Amino acid sequence: MPDEINAEVIVVDDDPSVQRALNRLLMTNGFARRIFGSAKEFLSDDKPSPAAGCLVLDVEMPGLDGLELQAELQKRGFRLPIVFITGHGTVPISVEAMKQGALDFLQKPFDSRSLLDVIRKAIEQSRQRSSEERECRDLELKFLTLSTREREVFRLIVKGLLNKQIAFELGIVEKTVKVHRARVMEKMQANSLAELIRMAETLRLPPCSSAIFASPTRAGRNQI
Amino acid sequence: MRSLFMLSMLTRAVVSCILSAYICVHPAHAGQTREYKNALVLFPQESLSAPIPRAIYFAIQSEFDKSPALNVSLFAENLDLYLFPDPGDKQAINEFLGKKYANTKIDLIIPVAPPSLDFALSLRNSHFPEIPIVYCAEVAHGNGRLEHRSDVTGAAVTLDFAGTIELARTLRPGLKQVAVVAGTGATDQYLLSRFREAFKGYAGKLDLIDLTGRPLDDLLEQVSRLPESSCIVFLFMRRDGSGRLLPSWDVQKQVSQAANAPLFSLFDTALSYGCVGGRMSQLEEVARKTGEIALRVLSGESAAAIEPAVIRGNPAMFNWRELKRWGIAESTLPPGSIVRYKETSHWGEYRWVIIGALAFICLQTLLIFLLVKSLIRRKRAEEQTSMIRQELAHISRVSTVGQLGHSLAHEINQPLAAMRVNAEAAQTLLGGEPPDLEEVRAALGDIVADSKRAQEVVACIRDLVKNKPPELNPLELNRVASDAVQMVQVEAASKGAAVHLELAEDLPAVYGDHVQLQQVALNLLLNALESVTENPYPPKLVTVKTDREADGRVSLSVSDNGPGIEPVIVKHLFEPFFTTKPEGLGLGLSICRSIIEAHGGSLSADSNLEKGATFRLHLPAGPAAKPKASSGGSKDAG
């Protein structure tokens, strides 16, 4: 599935048969893919992880198993959605996996369509997050072009203060506030106050926020 | 019995050989201090070939041989006095003997019977002056007066005619006739006259059948037709009615054989020639007595000082064979009877040996029977034990399969998943435009391979679960090890443990049952995994290693880095029902050991130097090490 953002499916399974089968399935359905035989092999891969895609993990593997790999990836800030496949899943394991943010937990032998559906969903999710992240990064770059005074004005604008109130707050004349406000609107490429407010909200999102705006409130679902 | 008899013969032969060898080597011992003497025994009418002279001669000789001081040579002469009664003939014999012994110093003359004594006296006068005479005679001769002079003495027997007739009456209660047999010779007639005298006492009680003075043929004819209630008294028959000279003992024998009535006689020497018995004159006894007196005289004692001895009390003597022949029971014999020539059967002679041997054989048979019985019982018990062991092994295996449920499901689901994914990919591929048939073919190939793999796993589980008797085949221990490791891999991963496999190259094959050995390996592995999970922190390591030992055996060891085995426990490890696990039965290791021992190998446990424990099994290598088989055993269950 070609797209603006290149999506890639990463499979980690120690079983050669399963590797071959998954490779064939993904190839047949047009997915770019990378297949690894173990967690170690995957972690030591030089190639940068794709912007979008999905990680298909076998639970039972010698060395680091699926769940341990999940924890390790979380530590490393890896964000692709994870789909677990298991030869003999137990409820506690699947609950643990889901708690740690797995997208799905499939029991072998699984229906290929289910797997493909989950993979597609995961890719969609990662893509969406990927584009949000890109937007966020753009806004951040724009925000960085603002001067200190302009950032102050930006903050007060989105707080809903009038120019007069801003002038009073900052101890400057109202006219100057207007100039700053026009600059902010221009630099942030905002067409309306509403858009500016939305941008401010976006900038506060933890993934793209700088230290100043860090806030965990909306983390949840999109995190890996 | 025969061999026993032979053995005793052989022993006798050996002993006599040794004795004679001893005597040969020490000849001086026998004759060193003995003085040499010569004695001459004179028989009146028969030579040494006849039983009476022979018995007398040897009795005297044996008496002489007893002397420690004298070495007496005994010469014997038959005077044939009754065949040559003419005085001129006697003189000729006298002269002949005088010349014959001219160069032999005769120290003593022993005349047998009164005529010989007369002859001896004359012989002494003419040729052997002053030589003492010791005679051997019969009391009645000379009217019961025995010759006793300064240089003549001797010994005599009594004849008991009446006693013999009385004995015949006792043994034959209906006895009416007595047939008397005697020849026409001088002795024959002498004895006959004595008999007739004695028989007078039975006038009216018994009839006498006179069979004296008949030719032999006639005699034999007569004795075969005697009345039923009769018996024969055989006196002596040197010459028959036809004037033929005969050996009396042989005639007696022929008469006895021809007779239809039992034959009684008067001399113990006649007993063996068809005589049933009689009040016997003990000729041998009197001869011995004669010899004894002769020895005293030879030793220098004066004959005058030695009273002539009389052997009385003629005992009732019987011939056992004749008693049998005439159906006379031994119980009817008078007390103190002597029964001779008893046929000693092997039974009689070796009774206790036979009884002993039979008892021994019986005991032995019984023992063998008991042993065989206990052997059978033991074998049955062993079979039962083997069955129970196999059953236990099976239960243990099933329990192992239960423990491995997780792993086994994984092992089956893995190929199943691959197959399904491949199949569905192939379906998609076939729907393509154009369909990628090459890839479809590859997918199908993978499906076939995966289905085989799944089948193998199922077969393996089936083997473990199935209860079948062990089968011995050559197999690779490496394969056993790697299969077992493969089966617990998932189990290990789920416990966060790592299993390392170190296989020795070029390992010789072992003989064994694949399922059972795999069971042992699995058991040891699962125990090791359980042990390492007690480690609070990684690494949790289990190492499976195969090796070739210096002694040619092959080994498989499973070591872990768990908490190890407490020293107090080690010796109990392989005991049945010993367990350290709360839910364990304590059978796993005991079953493992029984399996390995049934394979001719050994299983041991040791604590590692650093940490953990190592279980090691040794098996003999190669086809030469074919084990005894039997038993089953499974692992785990512990």
Side-chain angles (χ1 to χ4, degrees), chain B residues 229-249:
Chain B
S229 54
S230 65
C231 74
I232 300 168
V233 173
F234 190 99
L235 299 173
F236 212 76
M237 193 159 179
R238 184 71 177 117
R239 198 187 279 272
D240 74 353
S242 66
R244 209 167 114 214
L245 205 55
L246 297 163
S248 179
W249 56 271

Side-chain angles (χ1 to χ4, degrees), chain B residues 60-131:
Chain B
I60 297 171
Q61 179 73 65
S62 71
E63 208 54 40
F64 285 174
D65 289 345
K66 287 179 190 167
S67 165
L70 297 177
N71 196 336
V72 185
S73 298
L74 189 60
F75 296 89
E77 293 295 341
N78 173 17
L79 303 174
D80 275 337
L81 293 175
Y82 305 121
L83 300 185
F84 306 97
D86 188 82
D89 297 341
K90 278 190 188 171
Q91 188 57 38
I93 296 168
N94 189 323
E95 290 304 315
F96 164 73
L97 289 179
K99 280 179 189 163
K100 186 176 177 181
Y101 292 95
N103 297 320
T104 305
K105 182 181 179 290
I106 296 298
D107 300 297
L108 183 79
I109 298 174
I110 303 173
V112 175
S116 302
L117 175 57
D118 294 342
F119 185 90
L121 289 170
S122 70
L123 185 65
R124 188 174 64 167
N125 288 338
S126 51
H127 295 291
F128 305 114
E130 292 170 21
I131 288 177

Side-chain angles (χ1 to χ4, degrees), chain A residues 54-218:
Chain A
C54 166
L55 190 54
V56 179
L57 275 189
D58 186 18
V59 177
E60 298 91 357
M61 284 187 296
L64 279 188
D65 70 19
L67 293 180
E68 287 163 339
L69 179 59
Q70 180 185 30
E72 176 67 21
L73 289 175
Q74 246 172 37
K75 240 189 271 171
R76 297 189 184 195
F78 183 89
R79 299 204 196 102
L80 288 188
I82 295 180
V83 176
F84 277 108
I85 53 177
T86 176
H88 183 73
T90 59
V91 174
I93 293 176
S94 56
V95 167
E96 176 65 17
M98 296 307 280
K99 254 200 212 162
Q100 294 304 318
L103 187 61
D104 213 334
F105 194 94
L106 295 179
Q107 177 126 7
K108 291 177 188 174
F110 43 76
D111 183 7
S112 301
R113 211 175 316 140
S114 320
L115 179 66
L116 290 173
D117 286 349
V118 178
I119 288 175
R120 287 198 187 94
K121 188 172 144 198
I123 289 174
E124 189 50 46
Q125 209 177 73
S126 70
R127 254 194 203 125
Q128 193 184 332
R129 198 173 59 213
S130 175
S131 64
E132 277 172 10
E133 277 172 12
R134 193 183 299 168
E135 191 186 343
C136 184
R137 255 196 312 276
D138 286 350
L139 284 176
E140 231 166 19
L141 287 174
K142 288 174 193 163
F143 185 76
L144 287 174
T145 60
L146 301 184
S147 67
T148 309
R149 182 59 81 191
E150 283 164 357
R151 287 181 199 180
E152 285 169 351
V153 171
F154 185 10
R155 193 159 51 91
L156 294 172
I157 289 172
V158 299
K159 243 176 128 180
L161 264 56
L162 298 174
N163 287 348
K164 203 187 291 178
Q165 288 168 310
I166 294 169
F168 176 75
E169 194 76 14
L170 296 176
I172 52 176
V173 294
E174 192 182 346
K175 196 176 174 190
T176 313
V177 170
K178 275 182 182 169
V179 173
H180 284 313
R181 186 176 182 134
R183 284 256 180 83
V184 168
M185 295 294 275
E186 186 191 350
K187 281 184 178 172
M188 294 305 289
Q189 296 174 343
N191 299 321
S192 62
L193 179 60
E195 202 175 347
L196 196 66
I197 289 169
R198 195 183 59 77
M199 284 176 180
E201 273 177 2
T202 306
L203 279 170
R204 279 177 184 177
L205 290 179
C208 61
S209 68
S210 61
I212 310 168
F213 291 108
S215 159
T217 47
R218 283 189 60 191

Side-chain angles (χ1 to χ4, degrees), chain B residues 558-560 564-565 570 573-574 604-609 611-616 618:
Chain B
V558 178
S559 35
D560 61 68
I565 313 163
V570 173
L573 263 183
F574 295 101
S604 58
D606 291 298
S607 286
N608 292 340
L609 272 180
K611 196 167 184 290
T614 298
F615 284 78
R616 181 175 284 111
H618 287 95

